Amino acid sequence: MRSFNIEAMFGGILALVVLSVAVYAAANTRFGNGDGSSTTGSTTTTVSSGGAPTLTAVSGQDLVCQCYDEAFQLAGRAQVLSPEYRTGFEQCRARGGVSGGDAWTAGWNARLSAKPYEASCRAYKRRR
């Protein structure tokens, strides 16, 4: 009987810890679109309240360059495992296919390279 009580006690403590982590995560998660929108040149990027970029089609804007430029800017303020990186990559891949995903990755890597001042979408397109 005594071992059953100890197991039940530790099981109850574990359940409370898991429940408290779930409540904390739910309380600190923001859902829905934010109203923050910024325009840079002819590229429009909407940032949700969670900070994830949302690419918006702009007439005359090359999607490959848009993905490259947004990833280049995001690399300065986020990490590769962040939800912002994943969201941006998935959007570029969905809208631009493999070339959109490749442009996102190239823009991200260009910012983190030893010579980010030499990086541009035009240079990326020449190398392709």
Side-chain angles (χ1 to χ4, degrees), residues 1-127:
M1 272 294 200
R2 186 170 175 95
S3 66
F4 175 75
N5 290 335
I6 292 173
E7 290 172 357
M9 183 176 68
F10 282 118
I13 291 172
L14 179 62
L16 287 175
V17 169
V18 170
L19 181 64
S20 64
V21 168
V23 168
Y24 177 79
N28 290 322
T29 302
R30 294 184 178 130
F31 298 100
N33 290 335
D35 57 347
S37 178
S38 63
T39 304
T40 306
S42 61
T43 302
T44 303
T45 304
T46 305
V47 180
S48 68
S49 60
T54 304
L55 298 173
T56 306
V58 177
S59 61
Q61 176 68 28
D62 181 14
L63 182 62
V64 170
C65 282
Q66 185 178 1
C67 289
Y68 181 95
D69 293 339
E70 180 59 31
F72 187 87
Q73 291 173 2
L74 184 64
R77 64 181 189 273
Q79 296 181 0
V80 74
L81 296 177
S82 69
E84 295 89 0
Y85 177 89
R86 184 179 181 129
T87 300
F89 176 80
E90 289 174 352
Q91 287 181 356
C92 284
R93 183 70 185 252
R95 292 183 56 214
V98 174
S99 61
D102 289 347
W104 178 270
T105 303
W108 182 272
N109 290 336
R111 177 68 176 255
L112 302 177
S113 71
K115 299 178 183 177
Y117 54 86
E118 292 181 357
S120 70
C121 183
R122 183 183 294 180
Y124 167 69
K125 284 183 164 185
R126 280 194 304 255
R127 288 190 304 261

